[in-house]
PDB file of all heavy atoms in Angstrom:
ATOM      1  N   ALA A 639     -12.023  10.488 -10.632  1.00  0.00           N
ATOM      2  CA  ALA A 639     -11.221   9.241 -10.759  1.00  0.00           C
ATOM      3  C   ALA A 639     -10.274   9.089  -9.597  1.00  0.00           C
ATOM      4  O   ALA A 639      -9.889   7.967  -9.256  1.00  0.00           O
ATOM      5  CB  ALA A 639     -10.457   9.267 -12.062  1.00  0.00           C
ATOM      6  N   SER A 640      -9.894  10.186  -8.967  1.00  0.00           N
ATOM      7  CA  SER A 640      -8.908  10.086  -7.896  1.00  0.00           C
ATOM      8  C   SER A 640      -9.565  10.037  -6.513  1.00  0.00           C
ATOM      9  O   SER A 640      -8.896  10.049  -5.493  1.00  0.00           O
ATOM     10  CB  SER A 640      -7.966  11.280  -7.932  1.00  0.00           C
ATOM     11  OG  SER A 640      -8.687  12.445  -7.601  1.00  0.00           O
ATOM     12  N   LEU A 641     -10.910   9.964  -6.463  1.00  0.00           N
ATOM     13  CA  LEU A 641     -11.618   9.862  -5.178  1.00  0.00           C
ATOM     14  C   LEU A 641     -11.322   8.519  -4.533  1.00  0.00           C
ATOM     15  O   LEU A 641     -11.257   7.501  -5.219  1.00  0.00           O
ATOM     16  CB  LEU A 641     -13.134   9.928  -5.396  1.00  0.00           C
ATOM     17  CG  LEU A 641     -13.775  11.274  -5.571  1.00  0.00           C
ATOM     18  CD1 LEU A 641     -15.261  11.086  -5.780  1.00  0.00           C
ATOM     19  CD2 LEU A 641     -13.570  12.151  -4.339  1.00  0.00           C
ATOM     20  N   ASN A 642     -11.173   8.522  -3.210  1.00  0.00           N
ATOM     21  CA  ASN A 642     -11.040   7.235  -2.535  1.00  0.00           C
ATOM     22  C   ASN A 642     -12.415   6.695  -2.181  1.00  0.00           C
ATOM     23  O   ASN A 642     -13.441   7.335  -2.496  1.00  0.00           O
ATOM     24  CB  ASN A 642     -10.110   7.310  -1.329  1.00  0.00           C
ATOM     25  CG  ASN A 642     -10.726   8.104  -0.173  1.00  0.00           C
ATOM     26  OD1 ASN A 642     -11.829   8.596  -0.280  1.00  0.00           O
ATOM     27  ND2 ASN A 642      -9.988   8.182   0.920  1.00  0.00           N
ATOM     28  N   ASP A 643     -12.491   5.507  -1.546  1.00  0.00           N
ATOM     29  CA  ASP A 643     -13.767   4.840  -1.310  1.00  0.00           C
ATOM     30  C   ASP A 643     -14.698   5.702  -0.493  1.00  0.00           C
ATOM     31  O   ASP A 643     -15.880   5.779  -0.811  1.00  0.00           O
ATOM     32  CB  ASP A 643     -13.490   3.508  -0.602  1.00  0.00           C
ATOM     33  CG  ASP A 643     -14.689   2.619  -0.624  1.00  0.00           C
ATOM     34  OD1 ASP A 643     -15.328   2.498  -1.696  1.00  0.00           O
ATOM     35  OD2 ASP A 643     -15.023   2.026   0.423  1.00  0.00           O
ATOM     36  N   PHE A 644     -14.177   6.382   0.523  1.00  0.00           N
ATOM     37  CA  PHE A 644     -15.008   7.250   1.337  1.00  0.00           C
ATOM     38  C   PHE A 644     -15.530   8.426   0.517  1.00  0.00           C
ATOM     39  O   PHE A 644     -16.682   8.847   0.620  1.00  0.00           O
ATOM     40  CB  PHE A 644     -14.194   7.772   2.556  1.00  0.00           C
ATOM     41  CG  PHE A 644     -15.008   8.490   3.571  1.00  0.00           C
ATOM     42  CD1 PHE A 644     -16.368   8.237   3.748  1.00  0.00           C
ATOM     43  CD2 PHE A 644     -14.415   9.439   4.412  1.00  0.00           C
ATOM     44  CE1 PHE A 644     -17.118   8.897   4.698  1.00  0.00           C
ATOM     45  CE2 PHE A 644     -15.144  10.106   5.373  1.00  0.00           C
ATOM     46  CZ  PHE A 644     -16.488   9.842   5.515  1.00  0.00           C
ATOM     47  N   ARG A 646     -16.113   8.432  -2.696  1.00  0.00           N
ATOM     48  CA  ARG A 646     -17.182   7.957  -3.584  1.00  0.00           C
ATOM     49  C   ARG A 646     -18.494   7.790  -2.817  1.00  0.00           C
ATOM     50  O   ARG A 646     -19.577   8.065  -3.346  1.00  0.00           O
ATOM     51  CB  ARG A 646     -16.784   6.631  -4.230  1.00  0.00           C
ATOM     52  CG  ARG A 646     -16.089   6.784  -5.577  1.00  0.00           C
ATOM     53  CD  ARG A 646     -15.586   5.485  -6.117  1.00  0.00           C
ATOM     54  NE  ARG A 646     -14.200   5.282  -5.733  1.00  0.00           N
ATOM     55  CZ  ARG A 646     -13.700   4.179  -5.226  1.00  0.00           C
ATOM     56  NH1 ARG A 646     -14.464   3.146  -5.036  1.00  0.00           N
ATOM     57  NH2 ARG A 646     -12.435   4.091  -4.900  1.00  0.00           N
ATOM     58  N   PHE A 647     -18.386   7.374  -1.558  1.00  0.00           N
ATOM     59  CA  PHE A 647     -19.591   7.226  -0.732  1.00  0.00           C
ATOM     60  C   PHE A 647     -20.261   8.577  -0.502  1.00  0.00           C
ATOM     61  O   PHE A 647     -21.461   8.750  -0.645  1.00  0.00           O
ATOM     62  CB  PHE A 647     -19.212   6.572   0.585  1.00  0.00           C
ATOM     63  CG  PHE A 647     -20.346   6.353   1.513  1.00  0.00           C
ATOM     64  CD1 PHE A 647     -21.198   5.270   1.308  1.00  0.00           C
ATOM     65  CD2 PHE A 647     -20.592   7.176   2.584  1.00  0.00           C
ATOM     66  CE1 PHE A 647     -22.279   5.043   2.170  1.00  0.00           C
ATOM     67  CE2 PHE A 647     -21.656   6.949   3.441  1.00  0.00           C
ATOM     68  CZ  PHE A 647     -22.499   5.894   3.235  1.00  0.00           C
ATOM     69  N   LYS A 648     -19.417   9.605  -0.160  1.00  0.00           N
ATOM     70  CA  LYS A 648     -19.964  10.942   0.080  1.00  0.00           C
ATOM     71  C   LYS A 648     -20.575  11.511  -1.177  1.00  0.00           C
ATOM     72  O   LYS A 648     -21.595  12.214  -1.140  1.00  0.00           O
ATOM     73  CB  LYS A 648     -18.852  11.868   0.600  1.00  0.00           C
ATOM     74  CG  LYS A 648     -18.460  11.585   2.037  1.00  0.00           C
ATOM     75  CD  LYS A 648     -17.597  12.646   2.599  1.00  0.00           C
ATOM     76  CE  LYS A 648     -16.159  12.407   2.277  1.00  0.00           C
ATOM     77  NZ  LYS A 648     -15.230  13.200   3.090  1.00  0.00           N
ATOM     78  N   LEU A 651     -24.012  10.086  -1.572  1.00  0.00           N
ATOM     79  CA  LEU A 651     -24.988  10.752  -0.696  1.00  0.00           C
ATOM     80  C   LEU A 651     -25.374  12.104  -1.241  1.00  0.00           C
ATOM     81  O   LEU A 651     -26.558  12.497  -1.224  1.00  0.00           O
ATOM     82  CB  LEU A 651     -24.368  10.916   0.697  1.00  0.00           C
ATOM     83  CG  LEU A 651     -24.125   9.667   1.528  1.00  0.00           C
ATOM     84  CD1 LEU A 651     -23.564  10.063   2.892  1.00  0.00           C
ATOM     85  CD2 LEU A 651     -25.383   8.879   1.707  1.00  0.00           C
TER      86      LEU A 651
ATOM     87  N   ILE B1488     -11.859  -3.043   3.954  1.00  0.00           N
ATOM     88  CA  ILE B1488     -13.015  -3.639   3.355  1.00  0.00           C
ATOM     89  C   ILE B1488     -12.811  -5.147   3.368  1.00  0.00           C
ATOM     90  O   ILE B1488     -11.816  -5.664   2.799  1.00  0.00           O
ATOM     91  CB  ILE B1488     -13.228  -3.173   1.892  1.00  0.00           C
ATOM     92  CG1 ILE B1488     -13.412  -1.661   1.871  1.00  0.00           C
ATOM     93  CG2 ILE B1488     -14.454  -3.834   1.296  1.00  0.00           C
ATOM     94  CD1 ILE B1488     -13.519  -1.090   0.497  1.00  0.00           C
ATOM     95  N   ARG B1498     -17.273  -2.569   5.895  1.00  0.00           N
ATOM     96  CA  ARG B1498     -16.117  -1.723   6.142  1.00  0.00           C
ATOM     97  C   ARG B1498     -15.876  -1.710   7.649  1.00  0.00           C
ATOM     98  O   ARG B1498     -16.766  -1.349   8.409  1.00  0.00           O
ATOM     99  CB  ARG B1498     -16.375  -0.294   5.645  1.00  0.00           C
ATOM    100  CG  ARG B1498     -16.518  -0.277   4.110  1.00  0.00           C
ATOM    101  CD  ARG B1498     -17.318   0.900   3.668  1.00  0.00           C
ATOM    102  NE  ARG B1498     -17.278   1.075   2.243  1.00  0.00           N
ATOM    103  CZ  ARG B1498     -18.332   1.324   1.488  1.00  0.00           C
ATOM    104  NH1 ARG B1498     -19.531   1.413   2.063  1.00  0.00           N
ATOM    105  NH2 ARG B1498     -18.227   1.480   0.197  1.00  0.00           N
ATOM    106  N   SER B1535      -7.757   4.363   2.181  1.00  0.00           N
ATOM    107  CA  SER B1535      -6.877   5.413   2.718  1.00  0.00           C
ATOM    108  C   SER B1535      -7.546   6.188   3.825  1.00  0.00           C
ATOM    109  O   SER B1535      -7.009   7.145   4.341  1.00  0.00           O
ATOM    110  CB  SER B1535      -6.409   6.348   1.617  1.00  0.00           C
ATOM    111  OG  SER B1535      -7.503   6.766   0.870  1.00  0.00           O
ATOM    112  N   THR B1536      -8.791   5.786   4.204  1.00  0.00           N
ATOM    113  CA  THR B1536      -9.482   6.481   5.270  1.00  0.00           C
ATOM    114  C   THR B1536      -8.995   5.994   6.615  1.00  0.00           C
ATOM    115  O   THR B1536      -8.933   4.800   6.865  1.00  0.00           O
ATOM    116  CB  THR B1536     -11.001   6.197   5.163  1.00  0.00           C
ATOM    117  OG1 THR B1536     -11.373   6.286   3.795  1.00  0.00           O
ATOM    118  CG2 THR B1536     -11.796   7.183   5.976  1.00  0.00           C
ATOM    119  N   PRO B1584     -18.117  13.788   9.653  1.00  0.00           N
ATOM    120  CA  PRO B1584     -19.434  13.696   9.014  1.00  0.00           C
ATOM    121  C   PRO B1584     -19.478  12.539   8.023  1.00  0.00           C
ATOM    122  O   PRO B1584     -18.530  12.252   7.319  1.00  0.00           O
ATOM    123  CB  PRO B1584     -19.567  15.020   8.278  1.00  0.00           C
ATOM    124  CG  PRO B1584     -18.215  15.591   8.208  1.00  0.00           C
ATOM    125  CD  PRO B1584     -17.466  15.066   9.379  1.00  0.00           C
ATOM    126  N   ASP B1585     -20.603  11.809   8.016  1.00  0.00           N
ATOM    127  CA  ASP B1585     -20.888  10.695   7.093  1.00  0.00           C
ATOM    128  C   ASP B1585     -20.097   9.435   7.356  1.00  0.00           C
ATOM    129  O   ASP B1585     -20.320   8.432   6.714  1.00  0.00           O
ATOM    130  CB  ASP B1585     -20.659  11.094   5.631  1.00  0.00           C
ATOM    131  CG  ASP B1585     -21.622  12.179   5.174  1.00  0.00           C
ATOM    132  OD1 ASP B1585     -22.763  12.191   5.665  1.00  0.00           O
ATOM    133  OD2 ASP B1585     -21.239  12.980   4.313  1.00  0.00           O
ATOM    134  N   ALA B1588     -22.315   6.469   8.616  1.00  0.00           N
ATOM    135  CA  ALA B1588     -23.100   5.865   7.565  1.00  0.00           C
ATOM    136  C   ALA B1588     -22.236   5.067   6.603  1.00  0.00           C
ATOM    137  O   ALA B1588     -22.593   4.008   6.111  1.00  0.00           O
ATOM    138  CB  ALA B1588     -23.868   6.937   6.793  1.00  0.00           C
ATOM    139  N   TYR B1589     -20.977   5.556   6.393  1.00  0.00           N
ATOM    140  CA  TYR B1589     -20.032   4.873   5.524  1.00  0.00           C
ATOM    141  C   TYR B1589     -19.695   3.506   6.075  1.00  0.00           C
ATOM    142  O   TYR B1589     -19.685   2.504   5.341  1.00  0.00           O
ATOM    143  CB  TYR B1589     -18.778   5.743   5.403  1.00  0.00           C
ATOM    144  CG  TYR B1589     -17.615   5.122   4.652  1.00  0.00           C
ATOM    145  CD1 TYR B1589     -17.723   4.776   3.327  1.00  0.00           C
ATOM    146  CD2 TYR B1589     -16.419   4.910   5.290  1.00  0.00           C
ATOM    147  CE1 TYR B1589     -16.657   4.242   2.639  1.00  0.00           C
ATOM    148  CE2 TYR B1589     -15.352   4.363   4.623  1.00  0.00           C
ATOM    149  CZ  TYR B1589     -15.468   4.037   3.296  1.00  0.00           C
ATOM    150  OH  TYR B1589     -14.407   3.488   2.635  1.00  0.00           O
ATOM    151  N   PHE B1594     -19.693  -2.487   0.925  1.00  0.00           N
ATOM    152  CA  PHE B1594     -19.072  -2.113  -0.343  1.00  0.00           C
ATOM    153  C   PHE B1594     -19.508  -3.132  -1.403  1.00  0.00           C
ATOM    154  O   PHE B1594     -19.592  -4.326  -1.129  1.00  0.00           O
ATOM    155  CB  PHE B1594     -17.539  -2.171  -0.193  1.00  0.00           C
ATOM    156  CG  PHE B1594     -16.817  -2.053  -1.525  1.00  0.00           C
ATOM    157  CD1 PHE B1594     -16.618  -0.808  -2.083  1.00  0.00           C
ATOM    158  CD2 PHE B1594     -16.403  -3.170  -2.222  1.00  0.00           C
ATOM    159  CE1 PHE B1594     -15.956  -0.682  -3.316  1.00  0.00           C
ATOM    160  CE2 PHE B1594     -15.765  -3.046  -3.434  1.00  0.00           C
ATOM    161  CZ  PHE B1594     -15.522  -1.818  -3.995  1.00  0.00           C
ATOM    162  N   VAL B1606      -9.351   3.992  -6.946  1.00  0.00           N
ATOM    163  CA  VAL B1606      -8.414   4.371  -5.866  1.00  0.00           C
ATOM    164  C   VAL B1606      -9.134   4.091  -4.565  1.00  0.00           C
ATOM    165  O   VAL B1606     -10.237   4.525  -4.350  1.00  0.00           O
ATOM    166  CB  VAL B1606      -8.114   5.883  -5.984  1.00  0.00           C
ATOM    167  CG1 VAL B1606      -7.392   6.344  -4.737  1.00  0.00           C
ATOM    168  CG2 VAL B1606      -7.294   6.161  -7.215  1.00  0.00           C
TER     169      VAL B1606
END
Side-chain angles (χ1 to χ4, degrees):
Chain A
S640 68
L641 278 179
N642 70 359
D643 193 44
F644 189 26
R646 268 174 266 133
F647 181 79
K648 287 192 274 196
L651 292 183
Chain B
I1488 300 176
R1498 295 155 170 135
S1535 49
T1536 316
D1585 295 329
Y1589 174 63
F1594 171 83
V1606 169

